[in-house]
Structure formats: C-alpha cells, structure tokens
Amino acid sequence: MIVNEQIKAAEVSLTGVDGEDLGIVATKVALQMAKEQGVDLVCLSLATSPPPCQLVNRTDHKEQLNREKAKQRKAEKGMKVKELRLSAFIEDHDYETKKRQAEKILAAGDAVQLTVRLEKKESQEAKKLVEGLVKELAHCGKQDKGIQVSGKQVVAVLLPK
C-alpha cells in the first residue's frame, strides 16, 4: 500500500473521503488536502497514469482490506458442511438451541446437516421434527435434497441462501 509521501507521481486522480470525484490534482495539493482533513492519501493502483488515489482514514482502509481478504480466503476454501445431531424426542429448549446454532452456521455461509439418530420405531417422529426444523430455517437456508430416511437415521442438508 503506497501512502502519502511515498506517492511519486506528479499528479493523481483524486477521490474524496465520501467517494466524491475531485478530478486530477497535483500530488502536493492532494497531500495538503489530506493533512487538512486529518486523513491519508492512499494510492489504489499504479497501473494507470495518473494513478487513482483516495483520501481515507488509514485504519478504516486497513480494516476494509482485511475484511476483503478474509472473504476471499473463505471463498477459496469453499463451503463446509457442519452436522447438528438431534434426538427424535427433543425438549423445546434444546430444539431452540439447535435452531439458533443452525441459523448461526447458515449465516456464516456454511451448510448444515441435520441428523436424527433413530432408536426403535421413531422414524415418523424424527421425520416430522426435521421437516419442522427445515420450515423454520427457510428464511436463512434452502434444502439441498429431500429428507433422507435410512435405517438408523433421518438426514436433511440445508444450504445457505
């Protein structure tokens, strides 16, 4: 990141603090404006002439760059599938807790696999439980496939919206 006096160009294409276009300005004038406003002059790219520069608060700019890098890293990694295990006869409080956990995972951009382990003849109750949870989470996630009922478990996968 090239900042303030490190900018060697004679003139720059300047953008103000609030994003307003200030046109092509001499670098010395741009530095003077930055000092008056108590901000930094940051060069965004050296690829063009005159280089595009912006008046920004340095800490805000660094935070924004860090957020963009974090998003980029997350996009490169891809989506994770996180499993939430439930039982067919779950208490209301535990159900709400699992629902909140699923909302948090979906909001973070990861998929949620809802798994209900079955004992004896609980498959109907388990399927109703998963269907209800999928409906309640419809605002933050969409179902990937149908609800899968196999011998020992009931599974549904929700993808973030």
Side-chain angles (χ1 to χ4, degrees):
M1 177 167 53
I2 300 173
V3 185
N4 296 334
E5 283 79 21
Q6 295 174 344
I7 300 170
K8 301 296 182 200
E11 52 187 22
V12 296
S13 176
L14 189 62
T15 306
V17 178
D18 298 320
E20 68 275 7
D21 186 25
L22 301 175
I24 297 174
V25 180
T27 306
K28 290 181 180 181
V29 174
L31 285 169
Q32 185 64 35
M33 290 171 67
K35 285 180 183 175
E36 288 171 2
Q37 294 180 21
V39 294
D40 290 312
L41 180 65
V42 177
C43 184
L44 304 174
S45 170
L46 294 174
T48 60
S49 180
C53 293
Q54 187 172 8
L55 297 173
V56 293
N57 186 338
R58 185 181 291 178
T59 55
D60 291 345
H61 186 66
K62 281 188 178 180
E63 286 175 10
Q64 182 182 352
L65 287 175
N66 288 341
R67 278 194 297 268
E68 288 173 6
K69 284 181 185 175
K71 279 185 184 177
Q72 202 171 24
R73 279 194 305 269
K74 185 158 181 114
E76 287 173 7
K77 283 183 185 176
M79 180 173 38
K80 293 181 184 175
V81 178
K82 298 191 177 184
E83 182 182 33
L84 288 180
R85 291 184 181 174
L86 307 127
S87 65
F89 299 104
I90 190 170
E91 296 289 327
D92 290 341
H93 178 285
D94 296 334
Y95 177 83
E96 292 298 322
T97 302
K98 293 291 184 180
K99 187 173 107 179
R100 274 196 312 275
Q101 286 176 338
E103 287 172 344
K104 195 180 291 186
I105 292 167
L106 289 168
D110 293 323
V112 175
Q113 177 178 325
L114 303 170
T115 304
V116 180
R117 300 267 184 212
L118 300 177
E119 294 178 20
K120 303 173 190 158
K121 306 226 185 253
E122 298 176 339
S123 64
Q124 292 303 317
E125 291 86 358
K127 189 170 181 182
K128 286 179 188 174
L129 174 75
V130 172
E131 285 173 351
L133 196 51
V134 166
K135 283 180 186 173
E136 287 188 40
L137 293 170
H139 68 279
C140 59
K142 58 183 181 290
Q143 194 169 354
D144 183 26
K145 299 173 187 166
I147 296 172
Q148 300 161 346
V149 181
S150 63
K152 301 255 185 201
Q153 63 186 10
V154 176
V155 177
V157 178
L158 294 173
L159 300 174
K161 281 193 172 179

